[in-house]
Amino acid sequence: QGRGVRSAHGPPLILGSGRGASAAADALELQGFTVDRLAPGDLPDSVGGLSAWDAVILDNVSARELSLQTMDILETWVRTRGGGLMMAGGDSSFGLGGWQGTPVERALPVEMDAPASPYIPSLSMVVVIEKAGSMGGGAGGGHEIGCR
């Protein structure tokens, strides 16, 4: 699949989509960005329709709130036009929002499923700091504590 390239001239225009207040969109607006806000069901129905924006934020949006066609459009827009896609967390986003296996999951750099088994590192380290002086040497005595 081809990768999209996008040239930016001036401040980016951002499309925020979510239910109610969006902390991400609010923070961007406080920094001077222009954020247009649409309900999830009102997102553009074509790749060309998204071309007015440089990035889309899905803020606590469930996969059930977008049609499969809209998800395909978002993925195509990211891959071929270089559009930015961000998902902000909440009780209806990522794995909890049912995004596993969707075009939006493929467009994002994350996996929506938790791994079957947690990663457990094979290295452990214990640091002991002896402060009482009971290991000998006292102040400036210079005895070392052995490490294994």
Side-chain angles (χ1 to χ4, degrees):
Q1 289 180 328
R3 297 284 180 199
V5 176
R6 188 166 190 95
S7 296
H9 302 284
L13 299 174
I14 300 163
L15 176 58
S17 185
R19 292 172 293 153
S22 167
D26 292 345
L28 288 168
E29 285 175 335
L30 284 172
Q31 295 301 313
F33 291 93
T34 300
V35 180
D36 298 325
R37 298 175 191 233
L38 290 176
D42 295 332
L43 289 173
D45 58 0
S46 70
V47 173
L50 283 172
S51 65
W53 294 279
D54 298 298
V56 171
I57 300 172
L58 298 175
D59 194 346
N60 198 23
V61 174
S62 164
R64 291 173 288 287
E65 296 177 71
L66 299 182
S67 68
L68 186 55
Q69 177 187 358
T70 300
M71 290 183 210
D72 283 332
I73 288 166
L74 283 168
E75 181 187 23
T76 301
W77 177 70
V78 167
R79 299 232 184 265
T80 64
R81 304 277 178 99
L85 180 60
M86 177 188 147
M87 182 175 285
D91 61 351
S92 293
S93 59
F94 297 106
L96 294 174
W99 291 102
Q100 301 91 338
T102 67
V104 169
E105 180 186 29
R106 290 191 301 266
L108 291 169
V110 296
E111 293 180 8
M112 303 294 179
D113 256 343
S117 61
Y119 172 74
I120 300 173
S122 61
L123 173 69
S124 297
M125 183 169 108
V126 176
V127 176
V128 176
I129 299 175
E130 195 274 331
K131 184 176 170 182
S134 64
M135 298 297 288
H143 289 108
E144 296 180 9
I145 297 175
C147 297
R148 289 188 184 179

